[in-house]
């Protein structure tokens, strides 16, 4: 007896913080009418001789030119009809990257954009997200990618209080102001500066480098780096 075989895919949400807000990289679809939207997360099919994890890493390399980054499996989306063309089950992942990396990936490409992720819900309630391009306005997302982006935001908010996941969005050296900006972007609300910084330092998640940022309009702030994993 033979059984129909659904297609397995990986969709990858490439996430960063830019101008104080969460952003994601989106690809313009040439088949918008067939897939229900003009813009989508980068993705690819899982080949018979390739693991799901290697497929996610391949997409990361192809779309962001990065061989490595914080990469986490999010969820499996298998609703019937999620892809109008054929039966596709997607094992979704998200990657957290510094803004410079995704800006470089989108530069000079008319079919690639960095869009701001917004939600109309608070905390960890969950729900679909919206993607808004600075130049194009609200974007029509294909498939169930609005739900996927909402689930990414919910996952990040849920892990922010007990892990160092927010620091994965920062470069190697950063200021306390940078760290607070990332956490506020994920949470979608402002944080009290003294309380946030005290909590971050008390948890031994970061350590001072003894260096200061390049000259700015204000007194250059001290630079920090992540505490090695064996000390977390």
């Amino acid at each position: 007896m033979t059984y129909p075989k659904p297609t397995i895919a990986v969709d990858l949400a490439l996430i960063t913080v830019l101008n104080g807000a969460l952003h994601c990289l989106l690809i313009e679809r040439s088949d918008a009418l067939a897939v229900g939207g003009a813009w989508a997360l980068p993705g690819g099919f899982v080949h018979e001789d390739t693991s799901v994890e290697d497929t996610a890493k391949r997409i990361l390399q192809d779309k962001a030119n990065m061989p490595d980054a914080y990469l986490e499996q999010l969820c499996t989306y298998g609703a019937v009809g999620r892809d109008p063309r054929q039966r596709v089950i997607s094992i979704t992942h998200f990657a957290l990257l510094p803004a410079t990396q995704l800006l470089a990936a989108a530069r000079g490409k008319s079919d690639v954009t960095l869009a701001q992720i917004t939600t109309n819900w608070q905390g960890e309630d969950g729900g679909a997200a919206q993607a808004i391009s600075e130049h194009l306005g609200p974007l029509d997302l294909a498939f169930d990618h609005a739900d996927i982006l909402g689930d990414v935001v919910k996952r990040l908010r849920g892990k922010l209080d007990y892990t160092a996941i927010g620091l994965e969005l920062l470069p190697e050296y950063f200021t306390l102001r940078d760290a607070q900006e990332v956490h506020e972007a994920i949470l979608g609300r402002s944080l009290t500066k003294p309380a946030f910084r005290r909590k971050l330092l008390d948890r031994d998640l970061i350590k001072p480098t003894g260096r200061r940022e390049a000259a700015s309009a204000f007194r250059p702030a001290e630079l920090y780096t992540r505490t090695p994993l064996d000390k977390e």
Side-chain angles (χ1 to χ4, degrees):
M1 181 179 294
T2 59
Y3 297 93
K5 295 181 180 180
T7 300
I8 306 298
V10 168
D11 288 309
L12 179 60
L14 299 169
I15 305 296
T16 195
V17 169
L18 180 64
N19 299 327
L22 279 177
H23 282 68
C24 66
L25 185 140
L26 296 171
I27 308 294
E28 187 174 21
R29 302 282 306 201
S30 60
D31 55 352
L33 291 178
V35 299
W39 295 86
L41 299 171
F45 294 115
V46 180
H47 302 149
E48 288 190 1
D49 59 349
T50 306
S51 70
V52 169
E53 292 74 17
D54 285 344
T55 301
K57 291 178 180 178
R58 184 190 79 225
I59 298 169
L60 178 65
Q61 176 65 54
D62 290 347
K63 303 303 181 182
N65 195 29
M66 284 197 71
D68 191 29
Y70 181 90
L71 189 65
E72 182 174 320
Q73 188 174 134
L74 177 67
C75 189
T76 298
Y77 295 80
V80 176
R82 63 174 299 275
D83 187 328
R85 303 166 302 172
Q86 59 181 313
R87 183 76 169 98
V88 178
I89 296 172
S90 176
I91 304 172
T92 61
H93 293 65
F94 65 90
L96 304 181
L97 303 128
T100 52
Q101 195 69 37
L102 288 190
L103 284 169
R107 188 175 296 120
K109 298 177 182 177
S110 60
D111 61 344
V112 178
T113 190
L114 270 183
Q116 182 177 339
I117 305 170
T118 64
T119 64
N120 58 10
W121 42 270
Q122 299 296 318
E124 298 174 45
D125 293 341
Q130 299 81 45
I132 302 175
S133 166
E134 180 182 357
H135 304 294
L136 302 172
L139 301 178
D140 186 23
L141 297 181
F143 310 113
D144 47 8
H145 290 186
D147 294 320
I148 292 174
L149 284 178
D151 287 343
V152 171
V153 175
K154 183 177 179 179
R155 172 71 64 85
L156 290 175
R157 289 179 180 175
K159 296 185 70 169
L160 200 59
D161 195 50
Y162 68 93
T163 73
I165 194 168
L167 303 180
E168 298 290 348
L169 287 158
L170 293 165
E172 183 178 4
Y173 303 109
F174 52 86
T175 66
L176 291 175
R177 181 181 64 250
D178 296 331
Q180 183 169 341
E181 182 180 88
V182 161
H183 283 69
E184 289 177 338
I186 293 172
L187 293 171
R189 59 181 174 85
S190 299
L191 297 171
T192 304
K193 182 166 68 173
F196 168 78
R197 296 184 176 189
R198 183 171 59 253
K199 182 177 181 179
L200 195 63
L201 291 168
D202 287 349
R203 292 171 64 194
D204 195 29
L205 297 178
I206 61 175
K207 63 179 182 180
T209 65
R211 299 163 53 188
R212 292 190 175 275
E213 64 180 341
S216 64
F218 305 98
R219 183 171 180 267
E222 185 170 12
L223 291 172
Y224 288 76
T225 190
R226 288 193 62 183
T227 303
L229 290 176
D230 59 353
K231 294 183 180 181
E232 287 188 356

